[in-house]
Amino acid sequence: MPATRPPVRPVAQKLVAIPGTGSDADFVRRAFGPAAARCGLTLVALEPSTDLVDGHLRRLDEMAATSGPLVVGGVSIGAAIALAWALNHDCAGVWAALPAWSGDPAKAPGAAGAAATAAALARDGLETTIAAMAASSPPWLATELSRSWRALHPALGGHLTQAAQFHGPTMTEISTLSAPLAVTAAVDDPVHPLAVGRSWVRAAPRAVLNEVTLDEWGNDPSTLGLRCARGWQTLR
């Protein structure tokens, strides 16, 4: 009797990536586009909808229903949403750039910052809030957020509020992940602590961590995607 060959697993053809809070598809394209092209993947960069988290989850469901296995990923809360989706779906990998927290957001600097910015928008308006942000940020970050905040307004305040309340995947949940997880974390970013990236990698069955600095990814966003791609390729 001839030996039975194992079924051929479909090859992922798309990377669906989610922006961080206050960011948009424009940044995602710059962060993940070069890496997706290098890996032979078509990038689908999601724009945030009014219903921030559930909107992204619905889009991932829609893409998976028509595109076969996906590579999913994102930046900051986008990485956490992608990981949460991958925990309950068959996918080819997770590219997680700058994870900000796990589980309860109550003590997370990123969640506190999102809530504070939402409050400032409601109190002071968009342009005053942008001016205050720019005065305390590196020039590259001020330029990036000024662009994306204006593009997302007036939905921005709602996005920030929803993000601040988002419960990310817990370590117990991450330990059940079947897909390979490639994390890129910054060594000097208090909003996206290195310890969070390290904890995700320790918890996941198949995972790898690459590190960057704020200046590296700030001056060249594609560094985030390229580091994720490098890690993912070692795990396939």
Side-chain angles (χ1 to χ4, degrees):
M1 182 176 181
T4 302
R5 294 183 179 181
V8 177
R9 183 180 177 83
V11 176
Q13 297 182 338
K14 290 184 179 179
L15 164 64
V16 184
I18 303 170
T21 309
S23 188
D24 58 8
D26 180 272
F27 181 79
V28 168
R29 282 189 286 270
R30 286 179 279 128
F32 288 95
R38 187 170 297 183
C39 293
L41 299 168
T42 299
L43 173 65
V44 179
L46 300 187
E47 289 282 11
S49 65
T50 303
D51 192 357
L52 183 71
V53 176
D54 287 343
H56 286 315
L57 293 173
R58 283 195 296 271
R59 288 288 287 128
L60 288 171
D61 285 342
E62 291 167 2
M63 296 298 300
T66 59
S67 301
L70 303 172
V71 178
V72 298
V75 181
S76 191
I77 192 174
I81 295 170
L83 176 57
W85 184 87
L87 289 169
N88 298 298
H89 298 81
D90 183 29
C91 73
V94 181
W95 294 11
L98 307 177
W101 67 82
S102 307
D104 190 344
K107 296 182 179 180
T117 302
L121 282 168
R123 181 183 65 246
D124 303 325
L126 177 65
E127 293 304 325
T128 299
T129 303
I130 287 176
M133 173 277 296
S136 60
S137 300
W140 60 262
L141 183 59
T143 298
E144 182 61 41
L145 292 182
S146 296
R147 180 201 60 76
S148 64
W149 287 7
R150 290 188 177 105
L152 294 171
H153 188 71
L156 177 62
H159 293 166
L160 292 162
T161 299
Q162 292 175 59
Q165 299 169 353
F166 176 68
H167 282 245
T170 65
M171 296 302 100
T172 299
E173 291 169 335
I174 295 172
S175 71
T176 68
L177 181 67
S178 60
L181 170 65
V183 176
T184 298
V187 299
D188 55 351
D189 183 351
V191 177
H192 305 98
L194 178 61
V196 175
R198 287 176 171 170
S199 68
W200 284 22
V201 169
R202 284 196 302 269
R206 286 191 297 154
V208 65
L209 175 70
N210 278 287
E211 298 178 0
V212 295
T213 67
L214 269 170
D215 283 344
E216 282 179 319
W217 73 263
N219 292 314
D220 182 5
S222 71
T223 301
L224 296 176
L226 291 170
R227 297 289 173 89
C228 285
R230 178 194 304 171
W232 178 66
Q233 289 176 320
T234 68
L235 296 169
R236 295 172 64 189

